[in-house]
């Protein structure tokens, strides 16, 4: 009877809350939320998505508008505070827009992933697809950076930040709905679509951090 009573007591107690995970979102304007009201950028929308799906997560916005992979690499050490458990790396767009040598982009991202590996931090690497205006060789080299590095360093991969929006281009007024007037940055509604698509990958990253 005593054992049964104890079992009833413990079964009535709520399950222990999962330990909070701190994820550093290292990126450029796409991460920082350029052009959007506070609370509508990638980080706050992803934070809310994770909470809505039962995750105890602190998502740190380390996005700097205009940053290249070299800039992200330069500020990585002081961005990685002791409480960081995992990283989202969303860099490379400004390298692409400036037509920088993809070998330089790859080298900077590799250094970032190597630092994460040395610290035992799981990473979600977010890629981009280059346009064709720099020529087929540039596009081929740039597009290969992200899957290649993800495979080499065991990182999770989101192949293309804009993939979810590209899939909706046939919708009426898609560009006006999902993109800001500059045609480069997503609108708040566009961010919501991206977050809905990418959320499960970030959730998987959180689970890796808890293991």
């Amino acid at each position: 009877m005593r054992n049964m009573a104890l079992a009833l007591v413990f079964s009535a107690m709520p399950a222990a809350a999962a330990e909070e995970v701190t994820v550093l979102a290292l990126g450029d304007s796409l991460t920082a939320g350029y052009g959007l009201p506070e609370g509508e950028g990638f980080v706050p929308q992803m934070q809310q998505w994770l909470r809505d799906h039962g995750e105890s997560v602190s998502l740190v916005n380390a996005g700097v508008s205009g940053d290249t992979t070299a800039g992200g690499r330069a500020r990585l050490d002081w961005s990685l505070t002791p409480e960081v458990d995992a990283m989202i790396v969303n860099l490379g767009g400004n390298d692409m827009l400036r037509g920088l040598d993809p070998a330089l982009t790859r080298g900077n991202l590799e250094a970032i992933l190597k630092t994460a590996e040395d610290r035992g931090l799981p990473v979600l690497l977010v890629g981009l697809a280059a346009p064709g205006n720099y020529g087929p060789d540039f596009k081929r080299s740039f597009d290969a950076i992200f899957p290649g590095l993800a495979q080499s360093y065991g990182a999770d991969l989101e192949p293309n930040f804009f993939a979810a929006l590209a899939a909706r281009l046939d919708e009426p007024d898609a560009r006006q709905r999902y993109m800001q007037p500059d045609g480069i940055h997503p609108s708040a509604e566009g961010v919501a679509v991206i977050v809905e698509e990418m959320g499960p990958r970030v959730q998987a990253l959180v689970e890796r951090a808890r293991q």
Side-chain angles (χ1 to χ4, degrees), residues 165 168 171 174-180 186-187 189-190 193:
L165 300 187
R168 297 188 176 209
E171 295 181 11
R175 293 188 184 275
Q176 290 80 5
R177 289 178 60 195
Y178 299 131
M179 298 297 292
Q180 295 182 43
S187 65
E189 188 175 357
V193 172

Side-chain angles (χ1 to χ4, degrees), residues 112-187:
I112 291 170
L113 292 178
K114 181 66 168 60
T115 297
E117 181 181 67
D118 291 345
R119 299 192 184 201
L121 301 176
V123 173
L124 172 61
L125 181 62
V126 181
L128 288 167
N133 54 311
Y134 290 113
D137 290 342
F138 180 95
K139 179 172 176 56
R140 184 166 47 251
S141 297
F142 185 89
D143 291 357
I145 292 171
F146 303 96
L149 287 178
Q151 182 174 12
S152 296
Y153 286 89
D156 295 339
L157 177 66
E158 179 66 38
N160 185 352
F161 183 82
F162 288 105
L165 300 187
R168 297 188 176 209
L169 286 180
D170 59 345
E171 295 181 11
D173 301 322
R175 293 188 184 275
Q176 290 80 5
R177 289 178 60 195
Y178 299 131
M179 298 297 292
Q180 295 182 43
D182 63 10
I184 296 174
H185 300 93
S187 65

Side-chain angles (χ1 to χ4, degrees), residues 69 95 99-109 137-143 145:
T69 55
D95 297 48
L100 300 181
D101 185 348
L104 296 176
T105 301
R106 184 184 185 92
N108 290 323
L109 288 173
D137 290 342
F138 180 95
K139 179 172 176 56
R140 184 166 47 251
S141 297
F142 185 89
D143 291 357
I145 292 171

Side-chain angles (χ1 to χ4, degrees), residues 36-110:
L36 298 175
E38 186 176 356
E40 295 188 3
F42 173 79
V43 169
Q45 288 207 47
M46 181 61 77
Q47 176 90 68
Q48 189 60 52
W49 188 96
L50 291 166
R51 287 177 177 168
D52 290 346
H53 287 75
E55 298 292 350
S56 179
V57 178
S58 174
L59 195 55
V60 180
N61 192 341
V64 174
S65 294
D67 220 357
T68 61
T69 55
R73 177 182 181 180
R75 60 189 171 87
L76 179 62
D77 284 340
W78 58 262
S79 297
L80 283 175
T81 53
E83 66 270 17
V84 171
D85 302 303
M87 282 184 17
I88 299 170
V89 178
N90 185 16
L91 288 163
N94 289 307
D95 297 48
M96 178 183 68
L97 290 173
R98 299 177 190 184
L100 300 181
D101 185 348
L104 296 176
T105 301
R106 184 184 185 92
N108 290 323
L109 288 173
E110 184 165 22

